[in-house]
Amino acid sequence: MRRVDIPKPGGKGTRSLGIAVVLDRFIQQAILQVLTPLFDPHFSESSFGFRPGRSAHDAVLKARQYVEEGYRVVDLDLEKFFDRVSHDICMARVARRVKDRRLLKLIRAYLTSGIMYEGVVRAHTEGTPQGSPLSPLLSNILLDELDKELERRGHRFCRYADDCNTYVKSHEAGVRVMASLTRFLEKRLRLTVNRDKSAVGRPWARKFLGYSMTWHRKPRLKVAPESVRRLKGRIRQVVRKGRGRAVGRVITDLAPLLTGWTEYFRLAEVKVTFEQLDEWLRRKLRCILWRQWKKPRTRAKRLMERGIDQARAYTSAYNGFGP
């Protein structure tokens, strides 16, 4: 397995992916297809990540339902979850339903297989490699114990992979839940809670799967500001490459990114974010044209061709402040 580091969203650190060879991916996919019907029916109804017939949109809609009922949110962030999964604990949970010792041995072999990084094979003593077909199911098997603990306590919650929000009626209750869940995760599952990113707060001050909410009694879904900043950063990368290319080519490169982003955030009910983003993007495209025109005389001519009166065109073309 080969290790590849990619930057995390927001530019804070990197995320390690484990890229397996084709044969290993084929075998892991076959194991996944056998194990999913065995484990999935026993997972919690409040678990939405990497499960057949469930999606991030289902988790977001369920979270909004809890907020409508007047609940605050306990936002629990697990630090480097996929990198810190205990192999022994994970395999013990798998062995509760899988009795075939050959299959258990094969799964453990994939967990402990060495990872090649910078030409050197390094031992893999903990964690499930992201990018492996088995990793999502193994993460759900491990965190199902957290789900069952929350259900036993009677809490309302939504979990998508390692993103887990629990809903409580008061700040004091949230602080107690945060402390008890932190103890449970660290002692029972040997996972680390990121105390800097975890918090008890109002839903409109937190984000869940890229979405946030308004403060109204009947909250409306909106795109979280961090999600918008992340998209703008990716757009800037494409636009910077396009200063010497036709605008049509730049738009073609942007189309898949924008289509996927708008499809994911189609649940958003606050449309002003999309309007502001549209204005910002059009201005970026106009800047490309402005730089390509180069000379002030050419800029004035092109502006007049687009319906700008002569005085305004020459004022803009010779402004001296750039696009």
Side-chain angles (χ1 to χ4, degrees):
M1 186 176 294
R2 183 167 57 91
R3 172 181 156 187
V4 177
D5 293 332
I6 62 173
K8 284 187 176 180
K12 298 179 180 178
T14 59
R15 176 176 286 119
S16 297
L17 301 182
I19 311 300
V21 298
V22 175
L23 180 59
D24 284 343
R25 292 182 63 84
F26 178 81
I27 296 173
Q28 289 186 45
Q29 185 64 36
I31 296 172
L32 177 67
Q33 291 177 345
V34 172
L35 294 187
T36 297
L38 186 63
F39 283 94
D40 191 78
H42 302 280
F43 288 153
S44 169
E45 287 297 313
S46 297
S47 169
F48 297 91
F50 310 118
R51 296 183 60 190
R54 289 168 172 258
S55 67
H57 288 168
D58 297 326
V60 170
L61 292 174
K62 192 68 174 178
R64 183 180 64 176
Q65 176 186 328
Y66 291 143
V67 174
E68 285 180 357
E69 296 171 2
Y71 288 90
R72 292 172 180 254
V73 62
V74 179
D75 188 357
L76 204 63
D77 184 86
L78 296 177
E79 185 175 354
K80 296 183 178 179
F81 167 71
F82 285 95
D83 296 334
R84 295 184 176 175
V85 169
S86 169
H87 293 169
D88 291 337
I89 293 177
C90 184
M91 289 305 303
R93 303 304 182 269
V94 174
R96 290 176 180 176
R97 297 192 182 279
V98 177
K99 303 305 179 183
D100 190 323
R101 299 185 65 178
R102 295 172 301 173
L103 181 55
L104 292 173
K105 184 177 180 180
L106 181 59
I107 295 172
R108 180 177 279 276
Y110 279 122
L111 286 175
T112 58
S113 62
I115 293 183
M116 178 173 288
Y117 183 64
E118 296 181 345
V120 179
V121 177
R122 303 182 181 182
H124 194 216
T125 58
E126 63 178 1
T128 61
Q130 295 189 64
S132 162
L134 269 179
S135 289
L137 177 62
L138 294 177
S139 68
N140 274 334
I141 292 173
L142 180 63
L143 290 176
D144 185 59
E145 190 154 342
L146 171 63
D147 299 342
K148 295 299 189 286
E149 177 67 14
L150 289 168
E151 289 177 345
R152 186 185 67 80
R153 299 182 186 185
H155 289 308
R156 293 165 173 80
F157 68 97
C158 292
R159 184 179 65 80
Y160 190 94
D162 58 331
D163 289 329
C164 183
N165 280 3
T166 308
Y167 298 89
V168 295
K169 279 292 187 179
S170 67
H171 181 80
E172 292 73 16
V175 172
R176 291 195 300 271
V177 169
M178 175 74 76
S180 62
L181 289 181
T182 299
R183 288 194 299 270
F184 175 84
L185 288 166
E186 293 181 347
K187 292 182 179 179
R188 189 75 172 269
L189 300 181
R190 298 183 192 173
L191 297 173
T192 303
V193 175
N194 190 328
R195 289 172 171 78
D196 293 332
K197 294 184 178 180
S198 303
V200 180
R202 296 289 190 179
W204 52 85
R206 310 296 298 175
K207 70 177 180 69
F208 181 53
L209 301 178
Y211 281 87
S212 186
M213 301 182 197
T214 63
W215 51 268
H216 301 89
R217 182 178 296 275
K218 187 175 181 180
R220 294 185 295 166
L221 292 173
K222 66 177 185 178
V223 183
E226 183 178 332
S227 300
V228 177
R229 288 195 296 271
R230 192 179 305 167
L231 175 66
K232 285 184 174 181
R234 296 177 66 183
I235 290 175
R236 285 191 182 98
Q237 292 177 359
V238 177
V239 169
R240 288 193 184 107
K241 296 177 183 177
R243 292 181 179 177
R245 295 184 296 168
V247 174
R249 177 66 183 277
V250 178
I251 293 173
T252 300
D253 292 345
L254 286 172
L257 170 62
L258 297 174
T259 301
W261 194 85
T262 52
E263 174 64 20
Y264 179 77
F265 287 106
R266 69 178 188 271
L267 296 181
E269 300 161 289
V270 179
K271 304 302 182 184
V272 65
T273 300
F274 296 92
E275 294 171 357
Q276 292 173 347
L277 188 60
D278 180 68
E279 294 174 0
W280 180 84
L281 178 57
R282 289 176 182 272
R283 184 170 63 85
K284 287 292 180 184
L285 296 176
R286 288 195 296 269
C287 287
I288 294 176
L289 286 174
W290 189 264
R291 291 188 177 95
Q292 289 177 352
W293 292 338
K294 294 183 179 179
K295 296 181 180 180
R297 183 174 58 188
T298 304
R299 292 168 179 168
K301 180 181 176 181
R302 294 288 185 263
L303 289 175
M304 287 187 287
E305 288 175 355
R306 285 158 173 77
I308 305 296
D309 64 83
Q310 184 176 2
R312 177 62 186 274
Y314 274 93
T315 300
S316 298
Y318 288 88
N319 72 80
F321 295 104

